[in-house]
Amino acid sequence: HTHYDAFPKDFLWGSASAAYQVEGAMEEDGKKKSVWDKFVQIPGKTFKGSTGEVAVDHYHRYKEDVKLMAEQGLRAYRFSIAWSRIIPDGDGEVNEKGLQFYDNLIDELLKYDIEPIVTLYHWDIPQALQDKYMGWESRQVIEDFTRYAEILFKRYNNKVNYWVSLNEQNIFITLGYRMAAHPPNVKDEKRMYAANHIAHLANASVIKRFRELDMQGKIGPSFAYGPTYALNSQPLNQLAAENNEAFNAHLWMDIYVRGEYPSVVWKYLKTQGLAPEFEPGDSELLKAGKPDFMGLNYYQTITVEANHLDGVGAGKMNTSGKKGTSEANGVPGLYKSVENEFVEKTDWDWNIDSTGLRIAMRRIASRYQLPILITENGLGAYDDLEEDGSIHDLYRIDYLKNHIKAIQETITDGVNVIGYCTWSYTDLLSWLNGYQKRYGFVYVDRDELDKKELKRYKKDSYFWYKKVIETNGEVL
Ligand code: BG6
């Protein structure tokens, strides 16, 4: 390894999850429903109608799960807090029992020196706020989300050093309001850009409050970034790649970091009659929300070509190269996504491209000059539980190994990377794909229809990652 820089001594070797995907206990101890609890009831939306009602029962088994992390030597665990546990109606009474669950989880992690990385919002806005004022479409959410965040900031200031504000705003907004694949199940571009603008204001508002409270830790959003490649060096295809970066990456990250819409996107939205409304104070608020780091969720790259104005049938914009790439996605005049013949694919047709992670980080570092915390990266695959309780997920080891190599190369390039959270720690509910699409180091024995005993088993990747952590990335 002589030609590579070593990983920093305090590198956060971590793993991640999200409340809805692991906790279960849907209406226990005062929790009320989130938009996901309702959305999954719509027939045909999720694989075999799977829900997070029980999920992998982390709510009751967090001690067992944290013990597995400790045995593995995990340094950081990223999880999200369910807003509807803390404030079941979104804007009403605070639910002490909900807070206690996270007190316990955080204390359990700290007991084993595992750094908690807390996500404030991983897509599960309380259903009560959706009913009351349409959730992210009302400016009232800015105040309510900030109040919720402030409760957590004050409670955990001396325990939590890393905070993630919004998880993948680009995904929950585009899948929620353009593709009707997430709640609130809408296809409306105008409403999408309006809700997106409000989500940006809410994100900036919690970061601003974080500064006002003089918090000891660091905060940033997690962005689902799928860097764009042009199909080839045909200049118009290169231009299409620029368009895709502007519309599917800069639109979010520029606003996080600079508080301004990229001019190319703003002009287009104005011309199309899709621009969100700016109220007095919006610009100032957006500029007050600069993060300490960029949280990066990386799964794959996306390849595009020019999409001529007469391209009939196109019209759906792609979202970060992460979801829906199998559809003929594109925007006439801007870009159209195409296959990349140089990369392999996962069981769910996502490109496997570890160099793309290096490219993603290089682009973020040059454009924004921020440290990067990789908050998600991993392989969704079918796993086989053997009779002796082992799971030989060599394909997952291979995937993670190549991505960790890419991180080391990027550090060697001169980029400041502070940590790596794999997705996911235990197996969990994949929002739309049920329980068969597995990401974890720890196998959880259940399927869509039968939750069985939810027993945990260590996969081969569990032992492999233990070694990676022990040697600080020297043995891969
Ligand atoms: C990210 C999310 O979009 O990707 C996770 O933050 C999600 O919550 C992960 O599970 C993998 O996506 P999927 O669709 O395979 O579950």
Side-chain angles (χ1 to χ4, degrees):
H1 288 297
T2 43
H3 53 299
Y4 290 129
D5 288 5
F7 282 90
K9 285 262 166 312
D10 52 356
F11 192 74
L12 295 170
W13 295 103
S15 192
S17 74
Y20 181 72
Q21 298 177 275
V22 294
E23 286 179 2
M26 179 174 73
E27 285 174 308
E28 236 174 280
D29 291 337
K31 181 184 177 293
K32 289 192 182 168
K33 288 194 169 106
S34 79
V35 288
W36 270 91
D37 293 310
K38 183 156 181 210
F39 176 76
V40 296
Q41 300 301 333
I42 305 171
K45 287 293 181 190
T46 65
F47 180 71
K48 294 191 182 170
S50 55
T51 78
E53 201 170 331
V54 175
V56 295
D57 198 30
H58 178 68
Y59 191 78
H60 299 111
R61 296 171 201 236
Y62 71 92
K63 280 198 178 167
E64 183 187 346
D65 291 342
V66 174
K67 193 148 178 284
L68 285 162
M69 295 174 202
E71 265 177 60
Q72 194 189 28
L74 205 73
R75 301 253 177 87
Y77 177 53
R78 171 180 179 238
F79 61 93
S80 79
I81 293 185
W83 184 347
S84 62
R85 264 189 217 296
I86 308 304
I87 310 173
D89 290 314
D91 61 355
E93 299 274 299
V94 176
N95 178 31
E96 185 56 31
K97 280 199 172 153
L99 283 163
Q100 268 162 27
F101 168 69
Y102 298 106
D103 294 352
N104 296 341
L105 173 59
I106 290 170
D107 289 344
E108 197 68 15
L109 291 166
L110 294 176
K111 182 165 120 191
Y112 297 110
D113 281 327
I114 302 169
E115 186 81 55
I117 301 176
V118 173
T119 306
L120 298 173
Y121 184 75
H122 205 120
W123 306 351
D124 49 355
I125 189 170
Q127 180 63 38
L129 296 185
Q130 193 62 40
D131 295 339
K132 190 168 177 182
Y133 56 60
M134 310 246 277
W136 294 104
E137 291 181 75
S138 162
R139 281 179 178 251
Q140 182 57 40
V141 77
I142 302 166
E143 193 184 313
D144 293 337
F145 183 57
T146 307
R147 170 175 173 250
Y148 156 69
E150 181 166 344
I151 291 167
L152 302 177
F153 289 161
K154 288 184 171 159
R155 186 119 169 167
Y156 302 124
N157 186 23
N158 56 349
K159 295 185 175 177
V160 172
N161 294 313
Y162 296 91
W163 300 84
V164 171
S165 47
L166 294 181
N167 179 70
E168 299 189 350
Q169 180 186 336
N170 55 328
I171 298 297
F172 80 77
I173 291 290
T174 51
L175 271 69
Y177 295 89
R178 166 179 290 150
M179 296 162 76
H182 276 198
N185 200 17
V186 168
K187 285 189 189 182
D188 185 322
E189 295 282 310
K190 178 100 186 156
R191 283 171 67 185
M192 180 184 79
Y193 285 108
N196 188 54
H197 184 68
I198 291 171
H200 267 302
L201 293 168
N203 187 74
S205 169
V206 299
I207 294 179
K208 181 167 174 259
R209 185 61 51 89
F210 192 86
R211 309 286 176 227
E212 289 161 358
L213 292 170
D214 206 14
M215 297 281 292
Q216 62 156 20
K218 298 193 183 314
I219 189 166
S222 279
F223 184 70
Y225 181 37
T228 321
Y229 300 150
L231 176 63
N232 53 34
S233 53
Q234 213 278 3
L236 287 176
N237 290 337
Q238 288 290 334
L239 186 65
E242 295 292 330
N243 288 336
N244 193 62
E245 285 287 300
F247 282 83
N248 288 319
H250 304 159
L251 168 58
W252 284 276
M253 289 195 283
D254 282 15
I255 299 178
Y256 293 143
V257 181
R258 302 174 183 156
E260 274 174 21
Y261 281 71
S263 58
V264 170
V265 177
W266 185 254
K267 178 76 193 303
Y268 179 89
L269 296 181
K270 272 284 186 207
T271 312
Q272 301 284 320
L274 293 171
E277 240 175 81
F278 256 76
E279 287 187 6
D282 284 6
S283 285
E284 292 71 19
L285 179 54
L286 292 177
K287 285 192 197 308
K290 186 173 177 183
D292 297 306
F293 59 84
M294 186 61 74
L296 168 63
N297 290 0
Y298 174 76
Y299 290 91
Q300 61 172 320
T301 45
I302 168 175
T303 304
V304 302
E305 65 177 358
N307 190 355
H308 301 290
L309 269 172
D310 55 2
V312 187
K316 264 190 206 160
M317 241 185 249
N318 203 317
T319 58
S320 88
K322 204 181 84 63
K323 309 268 162 113
T325 37
S326 52
E327 302 176 33
N329 282 330
V331 180
L334 294 179
Y335 55 81
K336 183 163 107 199
S337 63
V338 292
E339 292 293 316
N340 182 340
E341 59 173 304
F342 300 100
V343 298
E344 310 251 286
K345 294 193 172 221
T346 73
D347 295 339
W348 274 264
D349 261 357
W350 293 16
N351 292 338
I352 300 177
D353 180 3
S354 57
T355 303
L357 174 57
R358 185 176 181 182
I359 293 169
M361 293 196 282
R362 292 276 297 265
R363 287 187 186 167
I364 291 172
S366 353
R367 194 170 172 103
Y368 303 114
Q369 286 89 35
L370 282 177
I372 295 167
L373 176 60
I374 300 167
T375 38
E376 281 181 36
N377 171 243
L379 175 70
Y382 299 105
D383 287 335
D384 290 318
L385 176 61
E386 309 289 339
E387 273 188 13
D388 63 357
S390 57
I391 300 96
H392 304 303
D393 58 340
L394 302 180
Y395 37 90
R396 183 168 293 107
I397 293 175
D398 201 52
Y399 178 102
L400 295 173
K401 187 185 287 185
N402 288 328
H403 285 78
I404 292 174
K405 275 188 200 150
I407 298 167
Q408 189 166 20
E409 287 161 1
T410 317
I411 290 173
T412 307
D413 290 341
V415 174
N416 182 4
V417 190
I418 55 185
Y420 176 61
C421 295
T422 68
W423 186 264
S424 55
Y425 191 69
T426 62
D427 287 341
L428 41 69
L429 172 66
S430 165
W431 305 88
L432 304 176
N433 310 287
Y435 292 92
Q436 34 134 35
K437 188 179 188 185
R438 296 173 181 274
Y439 281 93
F441 292 125
V442 174
Y443 185 96
V444 180
D445 191 21
R446 71 154 294 167
D447 59 32
E448 289 71 29
L449 305 173
D450 183 358
K451 65 178 163 48
K452 306 186 194 175
E453 287 171 32
L454 294 153
K455 229 182 131 193
R456 274 75 169 139
Y457 297 90
K458 295 169 184 167
K459 304 183 192 176
D460 287 357
S461 59
Y462 175 99
F463 301 101
W464 169 80
Y465 197 51
K466 182 175 200 287
K467 190 92 196 175
V468 172
I469 300 171
E470 258 166 32
T471 62
N472 202 33
E474 270 184 40
V475 177
L476 291 182

